[in-house]
Amino acid sequence: MRGEALSPLDGIPIAIKDNLVQVGEATTCASRILEGFVSPYDATVVERLQAAGAVIVGRTNLDEFAMGSSTENSAFGASRNPWDVARTPGGSSGGSAAAVAAGIVPLAFGSDTGGSIRQPAACTGIVGMKPTYGRVSRWGLVAFASSLDQIGPFTRTAADCAVALRAIAGHDPRDSTSIPEAVPDYAAALTGDVSGVVLGMPREYFETKGADPAVLDCVHSAVSNLEKAGAKVREVSLPHTKYGIAAYYLIAPAEASSNLARYDGVRYGHRAASPRDLADLYHRTRSEGFGPEVKRRILLGTYVLSAGYYDAHYRKAQQVRTLLRRDFEEAFRGCDAIVTPTAPEVAFRIGEKADDPLSMYLSDVYTVTANLAGIPGISVPCGFVRGLPVGLQILGPLLGEATVLRVADAWQRRSDFHLQRPPEIA
Amino acid sequence: MSASPPVHAKYEVVIGLEVHVHLATDSKLFSPAPVRYGDAPNHDVHPICLALPGVLPVLNARAVEFAVRAGMATHCTVHPRSVFARKNYFYPDLPKGYQISQYEEPICTAGWLEIEADGGARRIGITRIHMEEDAGKSIHDDAVTHGEGTHVDLNRAGVPLLEIVSEPDLRSPAEAAAYLRTLRCVLRYIEVSEADMEKGQFRCDANVSLRLHGEAALGTRNEIKNLNSFRFVEQAIETEIVRQARILDEGGTVQQATRLFEPATGRTKVMRTKENADDYRYFPDPDLVPLVIDPAEIERIRIALPELPDRKRVRFEAEYGLPAYDARLLTADRALADFFEDAARANGTPKSVANWILRDVMQHLKERDTDVSSTRLAPEALAALVRLVDEGKVTAKSARELVPELIEKGGDPAALVRERGLEAVSDGGALEAAAAEVLAANPGAAGRFRAGEDKILNFLMGQVMKKTGGKASPAAVRDILARRLRE
C-alpha cells in the first residue's frame, strides 16, 4: 500500500503443481477421480506465497497423483519438454518444470516424493529443489506418500531458489511432521566461494548399470570445475544404495494405497452413475476414476501391507530406510555435500517407457534415496547430451539446504548451462 | 439372569470385553471441529473430518491427557512413547478410508480393575488402552432417508475414543456387567467421559467362549457387537453361552465369528466369520510422529488424579463408620460422594446423613432420573434437615415430606418447617391429652404392655402420632406413654 514490495516475490507470476490446493480453484491431481472438486481451503505454501505477493497464474500438469517420472500419466494428456516436444519433461512435476524452462513463469512449485522435482528439473535444464522432509508444510499438498512427499521450487538459478524456498519453508502447526527450527536466510549463504567445501562422490552412484556415460561425463566435468574453484573432492560410499529403488517402490505404494482410499465417490469428486450397491459404487467409481499407473501402485501397496506380507515387504523396506539414513549420516561425517547425477539419462521420448513401468521406475534411481533418508537435494544444469539438458544433483545433510544452495550457486557462477534456452523458444 | 445351572456346572464361561469410550474433549481427536451431541447432521465438521484432499491430522493434547488419566486410574503402565497406526477399510462413514488408531504400540498396557463379584472382590486384567478416532454414522432409517439409499452424518467422525480391552478374566454375564459398571464409575470419577451409553459414549463388544472346567486352553470365541446397554450385555452374553453350550453338548465345534446383537429379538446374528475376516493392513500413520510424553508430565497427571472409588469407599468405612454396603453406594458416583461428605461435615452425624441420602434422597433422584449435583438440594440443607430430626424438632415423617421440595426448589429446612407449621409437637399438655385418649381407647393394649409385651408400645405410639398429625416428637410420646403405663 505504501509502494513497498511485500517481499522479493511480490508481483512475481508463479505456477503451482495441480496437487496443491487453492481456494476456489479446481485441484485435479491430473485425475478423473477429482472431477469437479474445488478446494474450500488453501495449502500452507499457497497462503505463504500469496502473503509474499506472488501471483499464481496457473496450475500445472503432473503424473496422476504425482505417480510417475514423465508427466504422461495425466488424465489431461502428456506434458512436453520445451527442449524437444517429442520428449517428456520428466515427472511427476513435469508441468511446473516445463513452464519454467519455456520461460512462461520464472518460478514454479512442485512436489518431490522420489525425485519428482529434481528429475524433471534435470530433464528441462533448470534448477529444482527438494528440501529436508518437514522443512515445508505439507498441509494442502494432496498426499501421494506422506513420509516422502516434500514441496519445493523450480527456478533458473540457485539464487532464485534460495529466495523461493525461504518464502515457503518454516514450521506449521497443521503439519505434525513439520520441523520447528527457524528458517535461515539461504540467500545470505550464497557467497560463490566453495574453497574448503568437501564434496563426496558416492562410488555406487557412478557404477550404476544403465546410466548414460555421456551423462556421467557431464557430472564429472562439473565436479572437476568445482574442485578447481577450491572444493575438495572425496569418494564416499553409500553401500545400501542398491536397495533404494526396491524400498521406495514398497513404501511409496503402501502409503499411497491408504492415502488414496478417500477417493470413494461418497463425498466429492467422481462418482459412478447409478451404482447397484456399495461395492459397485466403490468398484466402478475407482475403476473409472483412476488411471492405470495409480491402480498399479494401489494394488502393489495393498499387497505389501497385507497380513502375512507386511513383515517381508513393508517392515523390511522400513529397515532398509534406516540403513540408507545411516549411510548418509556416515558419509556426511566426511563431506559437506554429495554430488551425483540427477537421472541416469536425458529426457526420454513420449511413449518410450509407457509400457515398461520398471524401466520408468529406474529413472528415479539417484533421487529416491534422498526422500527415503529425508535429506535435501537440488538438481542444477550441468551440460547437454545430444542437445538435451543434464542435471547435477547436490545432496546435503538434514537441514543442510544452505550448503546445498551454496554449492549449486557457486557452480552456476562458473557455468552457463542455465543461461541457454530451448531452441524453439529462444 | 443367569445361565441354566448345568451349563455352569459343565463349562467355564470366559468373557473378555472391549469398551469404547468417548472422551469429553471440546474438539475432535485430530481436527478442531467441535464434539457435540444432537447437532444437525454434518454440522460439526472441518476439512479434516471430511478427508478433503491435502488435509493432515493434528493430535488433540487434551485427549492424550485423558488417556493418561484413564491408564493411571486402571493401574496400567503408561508408555512415554506410543504410535498411531492406520486401520484401513472402506465404509461410507469412514471418510479417509482408514481409522487412525493405535496398534503395535498403544499408550497404556497391563492394568487391572477390582470388581465386586459373587464370590467377593476380583481383579480383572486390562490388556491395553489405546486411543483412536470414531467413525461417522450411517443412517439407513427410512424415516430419514425416505427410502433413498443411506445417509451419512460425520458429526461423530473423529471424536476421540479410548478402546479399553480387558483380559478374558470375566466368568459370568453378571461379572461382565459389574466390570462395566466399575469401569464407567472410574471413568466418570476422573472426568474423562460422561460415559453415557444412550449417547453412544460408552459402547461394548464382548468376546465369549466356553471350555470344560479345568481345561487350560481357551475355547473358540465369538465376538458380539452392538451392546449398548448393561441389560443387553448380560442378555447377549447369556444367549451366546446357551448357544455355544448347545453346540458343544451336541459334540459340535464353535465357529469363530463376529456376531451382531439384535435388541428387538434378544438374539445375535453372524456378521462375518473368520474366513472372511477383514485384513485391516495396519501400518504406522506417516502423517503423525510417535506420541512422546515426558515422564514428568505422566507423573504430574498421576498426582492430580482425584481419589478413586475404591480408596474412597475404604476411607468412608473407616472415617465415617459406614457399613461397606452404604459406603459402596455412596461412592458409586463422585458427585454423590462429595455431597455426602459436605453434608456429613455440616451435620456432624455421618451415619444419619448417609441413611437419609440412601433412603430418601436416592429414591427421589431415581424417580427423577437425575443425579444429586443437578438438583437444588444443598448438602448444608440436608445436614440441617437431618439435625432438626435428630434433635426432635421435626419428625422423620414431616422431614421426609420436605425432601422432594428441597430437591426441586431448594431452600432452608428450618424456614420451611416454620412456614408449614411442621414443628414437632412436644408441648406437654397436647401430648398428655392425646396419650390419655389413646390409652383410654385401648385398654387391652395397655394391659398387654404391663404383662411384659414391650412391643405393643410401638402400636400405642403410632396411635398417638396419628392423633397429632405426625407432628409429635416420637421421643416425647414414648416418654409420656411409658410414664402413664407405669403409673
Side-chain angles (χ1 to χ4, degrees):
Chain A
M1 295 301 270
R2 301 186 4 228
E4 291 166 14
L6 290 168
S7 84
L9 295 186
D10 198 4
I12 304 289
I14 63 168
I16 61 174
K17 190 177 181 178
D18 198 7
N19 62 353
L20 290 163
V21 303
Q22 184 182 355
V23 170
E25 297 287 336
T27 299
T28 71
C29 293
S31 181
R32 284 198 58 198
I33 201 117
L34 277 171
E35 206 165 64
F37 172 74
V38 176
S39 179
Y41 78 101
D42 278 329
T44 298
V45 290
V46 168
E47 272 178 14
R48 291 190 178 177
L49 288 166
Q50 288 179 334
V55 182
I56 299 172
V57 296
R59 303 177 58 80
T60 56
N61 200 16
L62 63 153
D63 285 301
E64 185 176 2
F65 283 103
M67 295 179 191
S69 310
S70 67
T71 319
E72 293 167 290
N73 306 328
S74 165
F76 308 108
S79 289
R80 290 166 187 275
N81 192 324
W83 290 90
D84 176 355
V85 293
R87 291 174 188 268
T88 81
S92 64
S93 312
S96 286
V100 173
I104 298 170
V105 284
L107 170 60
F109 291 84
S111 63
D112 187 317
T113 306
S116 281
I117 291 174
R118 290 160 289 158
Q119 185 257 13
C123 289
T124 57
I126 60 169
V127 171
M129 182 167 201
K130 178 201 96 75
T132 301
Y133 182 77
R135 182 72 290 190
V136 179
S137 169
R138 293 182 296 117
W139 174 258
L141 166 66
V142 182
F144 158 19
S146 313
S147 73
L148 303 164
D149 295 342
Q150 192 61 195
I151 299 165
F154 287 99
T155 55
R156 289 197 176 284
T157 65
D160 285 354
C161 185
V163 172
L165 177 60
R166 195 180 186 201
I168 60 170
H171 184 248
D172 180 3
R174 290 173 297 193
D175 176 357
S176 308
T177 62
S178 160
I179 295 175
E181 269 79 358
V183 179
D185 181 357
Y186 300 119
L190 310 184
T191 58
D193 181 12
V194 285
S195 53
V197 172
V198 182
L199 301 177
M201 291 184 78
R203 155 182 343 126
E204 295 80 3
Y205 283 60
F206 291 89
E207 288 168 354
T208 312
K209 282 179 211 143
D212 182 340
V215 165
L216 297 183
D217 286 347
C218 293
V219 173
H220 279 296
S221 135
V223 174
S224 305
N225 183 301
L226 285 166
E227 198 170 14
K228 279 186 202 111
K232 294 199 171 87
V233 178
R234 174 174 297 175
E235 189 180 85
V236 294
S237 177
L238 299 165
H240 298 95
T241 299
K242 57 177 179 276
Y243 304 119
I245 282 281
Y248 175 81
Y249 278 98
L250 293 171
I251 291 169
E255 293 182 7
S257 71
S258 176
N259 282 335
L260 271 62
R262 67 188 61 195
Y263 308 112
D264 57 4
V266 173
R267 295 170 313 289
Y268 51 79
H270 176 69
R271 177 190 292 185
S274 347
R276 282 190 313 279
D277 53 25
L278 185 58
D280 189 46
L281 168 73
Y282 288 153
H283 178 229
R284 284 200 292 120
T285 296
R286 290 167 66 83
S287 297
E288 294 161 7
F290 290 134
E293 183 60 28
V294 172
K295 286 178 189 164
R296 185 179 295 124
R297 297 199 195 191
I298 289 174
L299 287 173
L300 182 61
T302 303
Y303 172 78
V304 305
L305 289 176
S306 298
Y309 300 97
Y310 182 89
D311 286 339
H313 299 309
Y314 188 76
R315 206 186 293 276
K316 188 139 285 175
Q318 291 293 4
Q319 287 162 354
V320 167
R321 195 170 180 174
T322 304
L323 294 174
L324 283 165
R325 196 174 289 139
R326 286 193 198 139
D327 278 1
F328 278 110
E329 279 167 15
E330 187 57 38
F332 283 120
R333 274 191 203 113
C335 64
D336 300 309
I338 286 173
V339 285
T340 81
T342 304
E345 49 183 21
V346 293
F348 46 87
R349 283 191 179 76
I350 288 177
E352 188 180 328
K353 300 190 178 191
D355 299 322
D356 186 358
L358 283 181
S359 149
M360 182 84 87
Y361 294 171
L362 288 174
S363 311
D364 305 329
V365 65
Y366 298 131
T367 47
V368 292
T369 49
N371 300 82
L372 290 165
I375 60 172
I378 199 168
S379 179
V380 283
C382 72
F384 288 88
V385 169
R386 296 178 295 279
L388 294 167
V390 174
L392 166 71
Q393 178 174 240
I394 304 162
L395 302 173
L398 291 174
L399 293 176
E401 280 83 0
T403 307
V404 167
L405 285 162
R406 180 174 157 209
V407 175
D409 171 64
W411 161 246
Q412 288 195 305
R413 293 187 193 208
R414 290 166 177 80
S415 62
D416 64 356
F417 302 109
H418 60 287
L419 300 177
Q420 304 192 27
R421 294 288 177 273
E424 290 181 42
I425 288 158
Chain B
M1 199 189 323
S2 71
S4 48
V7 171
H8 285 289
K10 188 168 177 187
Y11 300 107
E12 182 176 40
V13 175
V14 177
I15 303 163
L17 298 179
E18 288 171 20
V19 175
H20 288 89
V21 186
H22 270 192
L23 293 178
T25 52
D26 293 335
S27 59
K28 294 184 180 180
L29 186 53
F30 296 111
S31 111
V35 175
R36 283 197 288 251
Y37 296 85
D39 274 0
N42 299 308
H43 185 271
D44 305 330
V45 294
H46 177 272
I48 293 174
C49 317
L50 300 173
L52 293 190
V55 296
L56 295 169
V58 177
L59 180 60
N60 182 333
R62 189 93 173 127
V64 174
E65 186 187 331
F66 284 5
V68 172
R69 247 193 250 172
M72 292 291 179
T74 52
H75 314 98
C76 283
T77 303
V78 177
H79 299 281
R81 183 194 138 100
S82 60
V83 172
F84 286 98
R86 293 184 182 179
K87 178 180 180 177
N88 295 283
Y89 67 95
F90 283 95
Y91 207 68
D93 61 24
L94 186 72
K96 295 187 294 296
Y98 58 84
Q99 176 194 32
I100 305 177
S101 181
Q102 294 188 310
Y103 186 57
E104 287 184 341
E105 297 180 62
I107 186 163
C108 308
T109 56
W112 53 266
L113 263 190
E114 193 169 273
I115 65 164
E116 198 60 34
D118 298 342
R122 283 236 297 131
R123 204 174 257 202
I124 305 302
I126 288 176
T127 315
R128 58 186 278 156
I129 299 179
H130 67 249
M131 306 176 71
E132 62 184 27
E133 53 178 352
D134 207 347
K137 270 186 198 161
S138 290
I139 299 154
H140 309 286
D141 185 356
D142 280 350
V144 177
T145 63
H146 306 293
E148 284 177 45
T150 296
H151 289 202
V152 174
D153 176 6
L154 296 177
N155 284 350
R156 204 182 65 182
V159 169
L161 288 175
L162 291 185
E163 181 173 330
I164 303 171
V165 182
S166 86
E167 288 288 301
D169 287 348
L170 298 157
R171 292 290 173 268
S172 70
E175 278 195 4
Y179 167 82
L180 291 175
R181 287 204 171 85
T182 307
L183 179 60
R184 188 179 62 169
C185 173
V186 168
L187 294 169
R188 285 178 172 174
Y189 255 72
I190 59 174
E191 294 176 325
V192 301
S193 177
E194 289 171 40
D196 186 335
M197 271 187 140
E198 277 176 19
K199 287 186 186 163
Q201 295 167 335
F202 189 85
R203 309 195 295 260
C204 171
D205 301 334
N207 284 290
V208 180
S209 65
L210 301 186
R211 63 180 166 192
L212 291 171
H213 282 290
E215 215 165 81
L218 291 171
T220 305
R221 67 192 162 84
N222 272 239
E223 182 181 5
I224 313 166
K225 289 194 171 287
N226 195 31
L227 304 174
N228 46 28
S229 80
F230 290 115
R231 197 167 58 83
F232 290 162
V233 171
E234 289 193 70
Q235 194 182 344
I237 294 174
E238 185 61 35
T239 310
E240 181 60 15
I241 291 169
V242 171
R243 190 188 70 83
Q244 291 187 18
R246 190 175 302 137
I247 293 171
L248 296 172
D249 283 346
E250 289 166 0
T253 47
V254 172
Q255 299 300 312
Q256 187 172 328
T258 303
R259 312 180 74 85
L260 193 70
F261 179 69
E262 294 180 315
T265 61
R267 301 167 74 99
T268 60
K269 70 167 188 196
V270 173
M271 263 174 80
R272 54 177 178 264
T273 57
K274 196 186 177 188
E275 288 71 42
N276 56 30
D278 288 325
D279 176 356
Y280 292 118
R281 292 173 281 120
Y282 281 101
F283 74 106
D285 192 329
D287 285 331
L288 291 161
V289 291
L291 169 56
V292 175
I293 316 171
D294 183 349
E297 173 69 4
I298 297 177
E299 184 58 12
R300 189 191 65 72
I301 294 171
R302 194 186 64 77
I303 289 167
L305 276 184
E307 183 182 37
L308 295 174
D310 276 6
R311 182 161 296 183
K312 200 184 280 287
R313 194 188 70 231
V314 171
R315 181 169 65 81
F316 275 22
E317 290 174 30
E319 193 173 328
Y320 301 116
L322 299 180
Y325 181 80
D326 290 3
R328 179 174 295 279
L329 287 177
L330 286 171
T331 54
D333 169 24
R334 186 172 161 188
L336 186 69
D338 289 347
F339 181 88
F340 162 75
E341 288 212 271
D342 290 343
R345 215 164 284 140
N347 175 280
T349 333
K351 268 203 94 179
S352 284
V353 171
N355 286 339
W356 274 87
I357 290 176
L358 294 174
R359 199 177 47 213
D360 295 281
V361 178
M362 289 292 278
Q363 183 201 328
H364 290 291
L365 294 180
K366 240 173 234 167
E367 280 166 10
R368 286 164 178 75
D369 191 25
T370 183
D371 60 273
V372 73
S373 54
S374 18
T375 72
R376 298 188 166 232
L377 176 62
E380 295 73 21
L382 185 74
L385 186 68
V386 173
R387 188 179 303 116
L388 288 173
V389 176
D390 289 349
E391 288 173 352
K393 292 186 177 147
V394 66
T395 65
K397 182 167 182 294
S398 301
R400 208 159 279 145
E401 283 166 17
L402 292 178
V403 170
E405 181 166 351
L406 287 169
I407 284 176
E408 261 156 33
K409 297 184 188 148
D412 170 27
L416 278 174
V417 165
R418 267 196 310 279
E419 270 167 38
R420 305 281 155 82
L422 290 173
E423 293 97 337
V425 179
S426 48
D427 151 43
L431 289 188
E432 291 287 351
E437 276 176 44
V438 167
L439 288 176
N442 298 283
R448 279 158 68 188
F449 178 82
R450 290 194 188 95
E453 199 181 327
D454 290 352
K455 275 191 192 154
I456 204 76
L457 186 61
N458 290 334
F459 165 77
L460 292 169
M461 279 179 68
Q463 296 299 306
V464 177
M465 297 298 278
K466 209 186 227 171
K467 276 207 182 304
T468 57
K471 291 189 287 181
S473 154
V477 173
R478 177 181 292 272
D479 288 350
I480 290 168
L481 279 172
R483 196 191 67 239
R484 282 177 171 267
L485 285 165
R486 265 186 260 109
E487 276 169 359

